[in-house]
Amino acid sequence: MRLIQQNPDIHAYLASSEAIDHWHPVVQETSDTLWSSHADAYSYAKVAFEFVRDTIPHSADSGDPRVAWRASDVLATRNGICYAKAHALVALLRAQGIPGALCYQRLADDGTNPVVHGLVALRLPGGTRWSRLDPRGNKPGVDARFDLDQERLAFPVRPELGEIDHPELHATPHPAVLKALQESADRPMLWRNLPTAL
C-alpha cells in the first residue's frame, strides 16, 4: 500500500500540538532517557516503539478506566488505548527529530461492529520511505513488531470482512478520534463513542 502524506511539508510531521505535546517535560524526559543509550535514529525509534508497546498497557487489557489522550498524559499515567499510545509514540519520535504520523485502520471482529484502530508511521531522517508500526501492545494472538521493511502490525486487515487500511498519514489526530477521546469521561463511555469510520 502506498502511504500518502496529507501534508506535503515534512515539517508538519515534526510539529507539536495539543495531543502531540512533545515539548512537555514528561515527553522530553522520557525521550532524553531513551536517546541516551540509543543515540542513532533507527535504534532510538525501535526502543521508543518497544517502550510504548511494552510499558504502557492498553487500557482494554489492563482494565484501567481512565481516558488519556495527550502524549504527556499517556506517558505520565502509563495508560491509553491505541490512539493514545500512538500519540505518545509520535511525540517521542518528534522529540528527537524523527518525522512521525498518525494513521488508521477500520477493523471488524467478524465483519460486524467496525471500529477505527490507530497506528503510527515514521520516516527516518534523510529517508523517503514511511513505515507503519502498531504500538497497541501485544497479548495472546497479537504480535506487533518493529520492522521498517515488512509490516508486523497487530491486526492485518481482512478485506473480505470489510476491513480497510487507510493510506493517509495525518500530522494531527483525526478529528473523529480526538472527539471520542476528549468527550469520554471513562473507558466504558469511550467504547460507546469510538468512531466506526473516518
Side-chain angles (χ1 to χ4, degrees):
M1 178 181 65
R2 180 175 169 268
L3 299 174
I4 302 166
Q5 283 183 217
Q6 274 206 320
N7 191 323
D9 183 358
I10 194 64
H11 294 97
Y13 299 93
L14 292 166
S16 186
S17 69
E18 188 178 14
I20 314 296
D21 56 344
H22 64 74
W23 295 115
H24 190 283
V26 170
V27 180
Q28 286 291 302
E29 181 181 325
T30 305
S31 169
D32 290 346
T33 298
L34 295 173
W35 181 264
S36 67
S37 56
H38 299 85
D40 68 83
Y42 179 92
S43 298
Y44 172 79
K46 183 176 189 291
V47 77
F49 165 79
E50 291 172 347
F51 176 83
V52 173
R53 183 193 65 187
D54 299 341
T55 72
I56 301 172
H58 189 289
S59 55
D61 298 342
S62 67
D64 195 322
R66 297 172 294 170
V67 177
W69 57 271
R70 284 186 186 90
S72 57
D73 291 338
V74 175
L75 293 172
T77 63
R78 297 292 174 96
N79 160 64
I81 68 164
C82 60
Y83 313 134
K85 292 183 67 166
H87 298 172
L89 179 54
V90 167
L92 289 173
L93 294 170
R94 293 182 185 183
Q96 294 296 339
I98 300 171
L102 300 161
C103 43
Y104 303 95
Q105 297 174 308
R106 182 180 184 263
L107 303 176
D109 291 329
D110 57 0
T112 61
N113 302 316
V115 67
V116 173
H117 177 59
L119 306 170
V120 167
L122 70 82
R123 190 170 117 178
L124 291 177
T128 58
R129 183 174 176 273
W130 288 92
S131 299
R132 291 192 311 167
L133 302 168
D134 191 341
R136 181 231 179 266
N138 290 339
K139 62 179 185 174
V142 175
D143 186 26
R145 302 282 179 98
F146 182 88
D147 192 327
L148 301 187
D149 298 317
Q150 180 180 346
E151 286 189 342
R152 301 284 302 273
L153 304 179
F155 307 108
V157 298
R158 300 164 296 172
E160 68 276 11
L161 297 180
E163 295 184 337
I164 300 167
D165 271 320
H166 292 286
E168 298 85 9
L169 300 174
H170 300 262
T172 58
H174 190 282
V177 166
L178 202 53
K179 181 176 188 288
L181 290 167
Q182 290 176 332
E183 294 183 359
S184 299
D186 56 25
R187 191 170 49 82
M189 182 182 290
L190 176 59
W191 255 226
R192 295 191 297 273
N193 291 340
L194 288 175
T196 59
L198 296 182

